[in-house]
Amino acid sequence: MTARLPHHPPAAPPDAPRAMWWRIGMLLVLVLALVLILISFLNYSNYRKTYLELNLTRYLVLAKDVRQTIETGLNVGLPPLENARLLPAIQELARRHGGIRYIAILDDSGAVLGAQRVPAATLAQWRARLQATAATDYWQAQDAATYQLGMPFLNNFNLKAGAIIVAYDKGPITAATDAMLRALGTDVLLVLLVLAALTLAGSYALTRTISAELVTVGQGIDAALGEAAPCAVDEHILGGGVADDINAFAHLSHEVAGQLAALEQLLAQPPASHPERSA
């Protein structure tokens, strides 16, 4: 049994070269989308960080003012819990600054002044933070509803005598950062749509000529193994040297295919019969 040699190889999809602009354009659109998303994420991160720092700076100034008032009273021997004017002053500050949830004074005995009901776990956390924080430093904490700023205050011997805790709402800060995130997302989407349309149009315009040339070259190569002589590729397509090489390859392939077909037909013929010789 002889093997059959195919005269015509499987033809490539005719739309493959024509779809080059689409593949190139979509790749460029993907790169642009990744770049825009990365830039937007960095902008959002910087905005959120800056916004949090601005709010922290605002309440740091407020906590320092309260600390100065407390330390002034300590200098004349008046502890915070015995200062009758301290609590009204704290309440007035909280009223004037709408973002403040509460201002609490924690003394060295563990008593709390000015805060509403403080859970035992939160109070224990404040005490631990007070012990771990330097006298000139501050700490930050948060819960489900507030950001908390803690700042130690000193007695006459420059020793930590307690801390001021300012708790301010998360809600307005979260709302502002979420609004910025939505605005950036909308801008990214609009910009990406415009750039995608321009990129696909530019990719189509730039690859239209070369796509047509590739179709012509592909048809010439596909016809090289057929019965009819392949069409010659013009010299202006893909450059004169490349066109000559393709034409030479197609012509040689056509000749080889014809010789292989003839050999196949020859091998397929039955052997000639010989008459039997008498003994």
Side-chain angles (χ1 to χ4, degrees), residues 14-65:
D15 292 336
R18 294 187 179 93
M20 185 194 330
W21 71 271
W22 174 257
R23 293 194 291 270
I24 293 176
M26 289 305 299
L27 179 61
L28 293 176
V29 169
L30 179 61
V31 172
L32 289 174
L34 292 176
V35 171
L36 287 175
I37 291 173
L38 179 60
I39 293 175
S40 300
F41 175 75
L42 293 176
N43 287 336
Y44 170 73
S45 298
N46 290 334
Y47 172 81
R48 186 176 186 277
K49 179 181 178 182
T50 303
Y51 196 77
L52 289 174
E53 289 177 349
L54 287 174
N55 281 275
L56 176 63
T57 301
R58 172 188 175 189
Y59 294 113
L60 274 174
V61 173
L62 180 61
K64 289 179 180 178
D65 290 341

Short mmCIF file of all heavy atoms in Angstrom, two decimals, residues 14-65:
data_model
loop_
_atom_site.label_atom_id
_atom_site.label_comp_id
_atom_site.label_asym_id
_atom_site.label_seq_id
_atom_site.Cartn_x
_atom_site.Cartn_y
_atom_site.Cartn_z
N PRO A 14 -8.62 32.71 5.88
CA PRO A 14 -8.37 33.91 5.08
C PRO A 14 -8.49 35.19 5.89
O PRO A 14 -7.93 36.21 5.51
CB PRO A 14 -9.47 33.85 4.00
CG PRO A 14 -10.54 32.99 4.60
CD PRO A 14 -9.82 31.99 5.45
N ASP A 15 -9.19 35.14 7.02
CA ASP A 15 -9.36 36.36 7.80
C ASP A 15 -8.24 36.58 8.80
O ASP A 15 -8.22 37.60 9.49
CB ASP A 15 -10.69 36.32 8.56
CG ASP A 15 -11.87 36.40 7.61
OD1 ASP A 15 -11.68 36.92 6.50
OD2 ASP A 15 -12.96 35.92 7.98
N ALA A 16 -7.29 35.61 8.91
CA ALA A 16 -6.24 35.74 9.92
C ALA A 16 -5.39 36.98 9.70
O ALA A 16 -5.18 37.78 10.62
CB ALA A 16 -5.38 34.48 9.95
N PRO A 17 -4.85 37.25 8.47
CA PRO A 17 -4.07 38.48 8.30
C PRO A 17 -4.91 39.73 8.48
O PRO A 17 -4.46 40.74 8.99
CB PRO A 17 -3.53 38.35 6.88
CG PRO A 17 -3.62 36.89 6.56
CD PRO A 17 -4.83 36.41 7.28
N ARG A 18 -6.17 39.64 8.01
CA ARG A 18 -7.02 40.84 8.11
C ARG A 18 -7.33 41.19 9.56
O ARG A 18 -7.62 42.33 9.89
CB ARG A 18 -8.32 40.61 7.35
CG ARG A 18 -8.14 40.46 5.85
CD ARG A 18 -9.48 40.41 5.14
NE ARG A 18 -9.31 40.28 3.70
CZ ARG A 18 -9.30 39.13 3.05
NH1 ARG A 18 -9.42 38.01 3.74
NH2 ARG A 18 -9.15 39.09 1.75
N ALA A 19 -7.29 40.16 10.47
CA ALA A 19 -7.58 40.41 11.89
C ALA A 19 -6.35 40.89 12.65
O ALA A 19 -6.42 41.06 13.86
CB ALA A 19 -8.12 39.14 12.53
N MET A 20 -5.25 41.12 11.94
CA MET A 20 -4.04 41.57 12.62
C MET A 20 -4.26 42.90 13.32
O MET A 20 -3.80 43.10 14.45
CB MET A 20 -2.89 41.71 11.62
CG MET A 20 -1.56 42.05 12.28
SD MET A 20 -0.27 42.61 11.15
CE MET A 20 -0.65 41.79 9.66
N TRP A 21 -4.98 43.79 12.69
CA TRP A 21 -5.21 45.10 13.30
C TRP A 21 -5.98 44.96 14.61
O TRP A 21 -5.73 45.70 15.56
CB TRP A 21 -5.97 46.02 12.33
CG TRP A 21 -7.40 45.61 12.11
CD1 TRP A 21 -7.88 44.76 11.18
CD2 TRP A 21 -8.53 46.06 12.86
NE1 TRP A 21 -9.24 44.62 11.28
CE2 TRP A 21 -9.67 45.42 12.31
CE3 TRP A 21 -8.70 46.93 13.94
CZ2 TRP A 21 -10.95 45.63 12.81
CZ3 TRP A 21 -9.97 47.14 14.43
CH2 TRP A 21 -11.09 46.50 13.87
N TRP A 22 -6.90 43.99 14.63
CA TRP A 22 -7.70 43.79 15.85
C TRP A 22 -6.84 43.27 16.98
O TRP A 22 -6.94 43.75 18.12
CB TRP A 22 -8.84 42.83 15.54
CG TRP A 22 -9.64 42.44 16.74
CD1 TRP A 22 -9.59 41.26 17.42
CD2 TRP A 22 -10.61 43.24 17.42
NE1 TRP A 22 -10.46 41.26 18.48
CE2 TRP A 22 -11.11 42.46 18.50
CE3 TRP A 22 -11.13 44.50 17.23
CZ2 TRP A 22 -12.08 42.93 19.37
CZ3 TRP A 22 -12.10 44.97 18.11
CH2 TRP A 22 -12.56 44.20 19.16
N ARG A 23 -5.98 42.29 16.71
CA ARG A 23 -5.13 41.73 17.76
C ARG A 23 -4.12 42.75 18.26
O ARG A 23 -3.90 42.89 19.47
CB ARG A 23 -4.41 40.48 17.22
CG ARG A 23 -5.34 39.33 16.92
CD ARG A 23 -4.56 38.04 16.73
NE ARG A 23 -3.77 38.06 15.52
CZ ARG A 23 -4.21 37.63 14.34
NH1 ARG A 23 -5.44 37.15 14.23
NH2 ARG A 23 -3.44 37.67 13.28
N ILE A 24 -3.51 43.49 17.33
CA ILE A 24 -2.56 44.52 17.75
C ILE A 24 -3.27 45.61 18.54
O ILE A 24 -2.78 46.07 19.59
CB ILE A 24 -1.84 45.11 16.53
CG1 ILE A 24 -0.95 44.06 15.86
CG2 ILE A 24 -1.00 46.32 16.92
CD1 ILE A 24 -0.29 44.52 14.60
N GLY A 25 -4.43 46.04 18.05
CA GLY A 25 -5.17 47.10 18.74
C GLY A 25 -5.60 46.68 20.13
O GLY A 25 -5.47 47.46 21.09
N MET A 26 -6.09 45.45 20.29
CA MET A 26 -6.53 45.00 21.61
C MET A 26 -5.36 44.87 22.57
O MET A 26 -5.49 45.13 23.77
CB MET A 26 -7.27 43.67 21.48
CG MET A 26 -8.63 43.79 20.83
SD MET A 26 -9.72 44.99 21.66
CE MET A 26 -9.84 44.27 23.30
N LEU A 27 -4.20 44.45 22.06
CA LEU A 27 -3.01 44.38 22.92
C LEU A 27 -2.62 45.77 23.41
O LEU A 27 -2.31 45.97 24.61
CB LEU A 27 -1.85 43.74 22.16
CG LEU A 27 -0.53 43.61 22.92
CD1 LEU A 27 -0.70 42.74 24.16
CD2 LEU A 27 0.56 43.04 22.02
N LEU A 28 -2.65 46.74 22.53
CA LEU A 28 -2.33 48.11 22.93
C LEU A 28 -3.37 48.66 23.92
O LEU A 28 -3.02 49.36 24.88
CB LEU A 28 -2.24 49.01 21.70
CG LEU A 28 -1.09 48.72 20.74
CD1 LEU A 28 -1.17 49.62 19.52
CD2 LEU A 28 0.26 48.91 21.44
N VAL A 29 -4.64 48.34 23.68
CA VAL A 29 -5.69 48.79 24.60
C VAL A 29 -5.48 48.18 25.98
O VAL A 29 -5.66 48.84 27.01
CB VAL A 29 -7.07 48.42 24.04
CG1 VAL A 29 -8.16 48.65 25.09
CG2 VAL A 29 -7.37 49.27 22.81
N LEU A 30 -5.10 46.90 26.03
CA LEU A 30 -4.84 46.25 27.31
C LEU A 30 -3.68 46.93 28.04
O LEU A 30 -3.76 47.17 29.27
CB LEU A 30 -4.53 44.78 27.09
CG LEU A 30 -4.21 43.95 28.34
CD1 LEU A 30 -5.39 43.96 29.30
CD2 LEU A 30 -3.84 42.53 27.96
N VAL A 31 -2.63 47.26 27.32
CA VAL A 31 -1.49 47.96 27.95
C VAL A 31 -1.93 49.32 28.47
O VAL A 31 -1.58 49.72 29.60
CB VAL A 31 -0.34 48.09 26.94
CG1 VAL A 31 0.77 48.97 27.50
CG2 VAL A 31 0.22 46.71 26.58
N LEU A 32 -2.69 50.05 27.68
CA LEU A 32 -3.18 51.37 28.13
C LEU A 32 -4.07 51.23 29.36
O LEU A 32 -3.98 52.05 30.28
CB LEU A 32 -3.94 52.04 26.99
CG LEU A 32 -3.12 52.54 25.80
CD1 LEU A 32 -4.04 53.03 24.70
CD2 LEU A 32 -2.17 53.64 26.23
N ALA A 33 -4.92 50.21 29.38
CA ALA A 33 -5.81 50.01 30.53
C ALA A 33 -5.00 49.74 31.79
O ALA A 33 -5.28 50.30 32.86
CB ALA A 33 -6.78 48.86 30.25
N LEU A 34 -3.98 48.89 31.68
CA LEU A 34 -3.15 48.60 32.85
C LEU A 34 -2.42 49.85 33.34
O LEU A 34 -2.33 50.09 34.56
CB LEU A 34 -2.14 47.50 32.51
CG LEU A 34 -2.74 46.11 32.25
CD1 LEU A 34 -1.64 45.13 31.84
CD2 LEU A 34 -3.46 45.58 33.48
N VAL A 35 -1.91 50.65 32.42
CA VAL A 35 -1.21 51.88 32.81
C VAL A 35 -2.16 52.85 33.49
O VAL A 35 -1.83 53.44 34.53
CB VAL A 35 -0.55 52.51 31.57
CG1 VAL A 35 0.00 53.90 31.91
CG2 VAL A 35 0.58 51.63 31.05
N LEU A 36 -3.35 53.03 32.92
CA LEU A 36 -4.32 53.95 33.52
C LEU A 36 -4.76 53.48 34.90
O LEU A 36 -4.89 54.29 35.83
CB LEU A 36 -5.53 54.08 32.59
CG LEU A 36 -5.33 54.90 31.31
CD1 LEU A 36 -6.58 54.83 30.45
CD2 LEU A 36 -4.99 56.35 31.63
N ILE A 37 -5.00 52.18 35.04
CA ILE A 37 -5.42 51.66 36.34
C ILE A 37 -4.31 51.85 37.37
O ILE A 37 -4.57 52.24 38.53
CB ILE A 37 -5.80 50.18 36.22
CG1 ILE A 37 -7.09 50.05 35.41
CG2 ILE A 37 -5.98 49.54 37.58
CD1 ILE A 37 -7.47 48.62 35.09
N LEU A 38 -3.07 51.60 36.98
CA LEU A 38 -1.95 51.77 37.91
C LEU A 38 -1.81 53.23 38.33
O LEU A 38 -1.65 53.54 39.53
CB LEU A 38 -0.66 51.27 37.27
CG LEU A 38 0.62 51.42 38.10
CD1 LEU A 38 0.51 50.65 39.41
CD2 LEU A 38 1.84 50.95 37.31
N ILE A 39 -1.87 54.15 37.37
CA ILE A 39 -1.75 55.57 37.69
C ILE A 39 -2.89 56.02 38.60
O ILE A 39 -2.69 56.75 39.58
CB ILE A 39 -1.72 56.40 36.40
CG1 ILE A 39 -0.43 56.10 35.62
CG2 ILE A 39 -1.81 57.89 36.71
CD1 ILE A 39 -0.37 56.80 34.28
N SER A 40 -4.10 55.57 38.31
CA SER A 40 -5.25 55.95 39.13
C SER A 40 -5.14 55.39 40.54
O SER A 40 -5.47 56.07 41.51
CB SER A 40 -6.54 55.46 38.47
OG SER A 40 -6.70 56.02 37.20
N PHE A 41 -4.66 54.16 40.65
CA PHE A 41 -4.50 53.57 41.98
C PHE A 41 -3.46 54.34 42.80
O PHE A 41 -3.67 54.61 43.99
CB PHE A 41 -4.07 52.11 41.85
CG PHE A 41 -3.75 51.45 43.16
CD1 PHE A 41 -4.75 51.07 44.04
CD2 PHE A 41 -2.43 51.23 43.54
CE1 PHE A 41 -4.46 50.48 45.25
CE2 PHE A 41 -2.12 50.63 44.75
CZ PHE A 41 -3.13 50.26 45.61
N LEU A 42 -2.36 54.73 42.16
CA LEU A 42 -1.35 55.52 42.87
C LEU A 42 -1.90 56.89 43.27
O LEU A 42 -1.64 57.37 44.39
CB LEU A 42 -0.11 55.68 42.00
CG LEU A 42 0.69 54.39 41.71
CD1 LEU A 42 1.84 54.67 40.76
CD2 LEU A 42 1.20 53.78 43.01
N ASN A 43 -2.67 57.51 42.38
CA ASN A 43 -3.26 58.80 42.72
C ASN A 43 -4.24 58.67 43.89
O ASN A 43 -4.27 59.51 44.79
CB ASN A 43 -3.98 59.38 41.50
CG ASN A 43 -3.02 59.89 40.45
OD1 ASN A 43 -1.87 60.22 40.76
ND2 ASN A 43 -3.46 59.94 39.21
N TYR A 44 -5.05 57.61 43.85
CA TYR A 44 -6.00 57.41 44.94
C TYR A 44 -5.27 57.14 46.26
O TYR A 44 -5.66 57.68 47.31
CB TYR A 44 -6.93 56.24 44.62
CG TYR A 44 -7.78 55.81 45.79
CD1 TYR A 44 -8.85 56.57 46.21
CD2 TYR A 44 -7.48 54.64 46.49
CE1 TYR A 44 -9.62 56.19 47.30
CE2 TYR A 44 -8.24 54.25 47.57
CZ TYR A 44 -9.31 55.02 47.98
OH TYR A 44 -10.06 54.64 49.07
N SER A 45 -4.23 56.33 46.21
CA SER A 45 -3.47 56.04 47.43
C SER A 45 -2.84 57.31 48.00
O SER A 45 -2.88 57.55 49.22
CB SER A 45 -2.39 55.00 47.14
OG SER A 45 -2.97 53.78 46.72
N ASN A 46 -2.26 58.14 47.12
CA ASN A 46 -1.67 59.39 47.60
C ASN A 46 -2.73 60.33 48.16
O ASN A 46 -2.50 61.00 49.19
CB ASN A 46 -0.92 60.07 46.45
CG ASN A 46 0.33 59.32 46.05
OD1 ASN A 46 0.93 58.61 46.87
ND2 ASN A 46 0.74 59.46 44.81
N TYR A 47 -3.89 60.39 47.50
CA TYR A 47 -4.96 61.26 48.00
C TYR A 47 -5.43 60.79 49.37
O TYR A 47 -5.59 61.61 50.29
CB TYR A 47 -6.12 61.26 47.01
CG TYR A 47 -7.35 61.98 47.53
CD1 TYR A 47 -7.44 63.37 47.45
CD2 TYR A 47 -8.41 61.28 48.11
CE1 TYR A 47 -8.56 64.03 47.93
CE2 TYR A 47 -9.52 61.94 48.60
CZ TYR A 47 -9.59 63.31 48.50
OH TYR A 47 -10.69 63.97 48.99
N ARG A 48 -5.67 59.49 49.50
CA ARG A 48 -6.16 58.97 50.78
C ARG A 48 -5.14 59.21 51.89
O ARG A 48 -5.49 59.61 53.01
CB ARG A 48 -6.47 57.48 50.65
CG ARG A 48 -7.12 56.87 51.88
CD ARG A 48 -7.49 55.42 51.65
NE ARG A 48 -8.23 54.88 52.79
CZ ARG A 48 -7.66 54.41 53.88
NH1 ARG A 48 -6.33 54.38 53.97
NH2 ARG A 48 -8.40 53.94 54.87
N LYS A 49 -3.86 58.95 51.59
CA LYS A 49 -2.82 59.16 52.59
C LYS A 49 -2.75 60.63 53.00
O LYS A 49 -2.67 60.96 54.20
CB LYS A 49 -1.48 58.70 52.04
CG LYS A 49 -0.32 58.89 52.99
CD LYS A 49 0.98 58.43 52.36
CE LYS A 49 2.16 58.67 53.29
NZ LYS A 49 3.45 58.27 52.65
N THR A 50 -2.79 61.52 52.02
CA THR A 50 -2.72 62.96 52.32
C THR A 50 -3.94 63.41 53.10
O THR A 50 -3.82 64.21 54.06
CB THR A 50 -2.61 63.75 51.01
OG1 THR A 50 -1.46 63.31 50.28
CG2 THR A 50 -2.47 65.24 51.29
N TYR A 51 -5.11 62.91 52.74
CA TYR A 51 -6.34 63.31 53.43
C TYR A 51 -6.32 62.84 54.89
O TYR A 51 -6.71 63.59 55.80
CB TYR A 51 -7.56 62.74 52.70
CG TYR A 51 -8.86 63.38 53.09
CD1 TYR A 51 -9.20 64.63 52.60
CD2 TYR A 51 -9.76 62.73 53.94
CE1 TYR A 51 -10.41 65.22 52.95
CE2 TYR A 51 -10.95 63.32 54.29
CZ TYR A 51 -11.27 64.57 53.80
OH TYR A 51 -12.46 65.16 54.16
N LEU A 52 -5.86 61.62 55.12
CA LEU A 52 -5.76 61.13 56.49
C LEU A 52 -4.75 61.95 57.30
O LEU A 52 -4.97 62.25 58.47
CB LEU A 52 -5.36 59.66 56.48
CG LEU A 52 -6.42 58.66 56.00
CD1 LEU A 52 -5.83 57.27 55.91
CD2 LEU A 52 -7.63 58.66 56.93
N GLU A 53 -3.64 62.30 56.66
CA GLU A 53 -2.62 63.07 57.37
C GLU A 53 -3.11 64.48 57.69
O GLU A 53 -2.79 65.03 58.75
CB GLU A 53 -1.34 63.14 56.53
CG GLU A 53 -0.60 61.80 56.46
CD GLU A 53 0.63 61.88 55.57
OE1 GLU A 53 0.77 62.91 54.86
OE2 GLU A 53 1.42 60.92 55.58
N LEU A 54 -3.90 65.07 56.79
CA LEU A 54 -4.44 66.40 57.08
C LEU A 54 -5.39 66.37 58.27
O LEU A 54 -5.35 67.25 59.15
CB LEU A 54 -5.16 66.94 55.84
CG LEU A 54 -4.29 67.39 54.68
CD1 LEU A 54 -5.14 67.77 53.47
CD2 LEU A 54 -3.41 68.57 55.09
N ASN A 55 -6.25 65.35 58.32
CA ASN A 55 -7.14 65.22 59.47
C ASN A 55 -6.36 64.94 60.75
O ASN A 55 -6.68 65.50 61.81
CB ASN A 55 -8.16 64.11 59.21
CG ASN A 55 -9.29 64.55 58.32
OD1 ASN A 55 -10.28 65.13 58.77
ND2 ASN A 55 -9.14 64.30 57.03
N LEU A 56 -5.34 64.11 60.65
CA LEU A 56 -4.52 63.82 61.83
C LEU A 56 -3.83 65.08 62.33
O LEU A 56 -3.80 65.35 63.55
CB LEU A 56 -3.49 62.75 61.48
CG LEU A 56 -2.49 62.39 62.57
CD1 LEU A 56 -3.19 61.81 63.79
CD2 LEU A 56 -1.45 61.41 62.05
N THR A 57 -3.29 65.88 61.41
CA THR A 57 -2.62 67.12 61.81
C THR A 57 -3.59 68.08 62.50
O THR A 57 -3.26 68.73 63.51
CB THR A 57 -2.01 67.81 60.58
OG1 THR A 57 -1.09 66.92 59.95
CG2 THR A 57 -1.28 69.09 60.97
N ARG A 58 -4.80 68.13 61.99
CA ARG A 58 -5.81 69.00 62.59
C ARG A 58 -6.09 68.61 64.04
O ARG A 58 -6.11 69.47 64.93
CB ARG A 58 -7.09 68.92 61.77
CG ARG A 58 -8.29 69.62 62.37
CD ARG A 58 -9.53 69.29 61.57
NE ARG A 58 -10.74 69.85 62.17
CZ ARG A 58 -11.97 69.57 61.76
NH1 ARG A 58 -12.14 68.75 60.73
NH2 ARG A 58 -13.02 70.10 62.36
N TYR A 59 -6.24 67.33 64.31
CA TYR A 59 -6.57 66.89 65.66
C TYR A 59 -5.34 66.82 66.56
O TYR A 59 -5.46 66.86 67.79
CB TYR A 59 -7.30 65.56 65.60
CG TYR A 59 -8.64 65.69 64.93
CD1 TYR A 59 -8.89 65.08 63.71
CD2 TYR A 59 -9.65 66.46 65.50
CE1 TYR A 59 -10.11 65.21 63.08
CE2 TYR A 59 -10.88 66.60 64.87
CZ TYR A 59 -11.11 65.98 63.66
OH TYR A 59 -12.32 66.14 63.03
N LEU A 60 -4.17 66.74 65.94
CA LEU A 60 -2.95 66.84 66.75
C LEU A 60 -2.84 68.23 67.37
O LEU A 60 -2.46 68.38 68.55
CB LEU A 60 -1.71 66.56 65.88
CG LEU A 60 -1.28 65.11 65.72
CD1 LEU A 60 -0.14 65.00 64.71
CD2 LEU A 60 -0.85 64.54 67.07
N VAL A 61 -3.14 69.25 66.59
CA VAL A 61 -3.11 70.62 67.12
C VAL A 61 -4.11 70.77 68.26
O VAL A 61 -3.81 71.37 69.31
CB VAL A 61 -3.40 71.63 65.99
CG1 VAL A 61 -3.54 73.04 66.55
CG2 VAL A 61 -2.31 71.58 64.93
N LEU A 62 -5.28 70.20 68.09
CA LEU A 62 -6.30 70.27 69.13
C LEU A 62 -5.85 69.53 70.39
O LEU A 62 -6.01 70.03 71.52
CB LEU A 62 -7.61 69.68 68.61
CG LEU A 62 -8.79 69.67 69.56
CD1 LEU A 62 -9.16 71.09 69.96
CD2 LEU A 62 -9.98 68.97 68.92
N ALA A 63 -5.26 68.35 70.23
CA ALA A 63 -4.79 67.58 71.38
C ALA A 63 -3.66 68.32 72.11
O ALA A 63 -3.59 68.29 73.35
CB ALA A 63 -4.31 66.20 70.93
N LYS A 64 -2.81 69.01 71.37
CA LYS A 64 -1.74 69.77 72.02
C LYS A 64 -2.30 70.93 72.83
O LYS A 64 -1.77 71.25 73.91
CB LYS A 64 -0.76 70.28 70.96
CG LYS A 64 0.10 69.18 70.33
CD LYS A 64 1.04 69.73 69.28
CE LYS A 64 1.89 68.63 68.66
NZ LYS A 64 2.79 69.13 67.60
N ASP A 65 -3.36 71.56 72.34
CA ASP A 65 -3.98 72.63 73.11
C ASP A 65 -4.56 72.09 74.42
O ASP A 65 -4.40 72.71 75.50
CB ASP A 65 -5.09 73.30 72.28
CG ASP A 65 -4.54 74.11 71.12
OD1 ASP A 65 -3.34 74.45 71.17
OD2 ASP A 65 -5.30 74.38 70.17
#
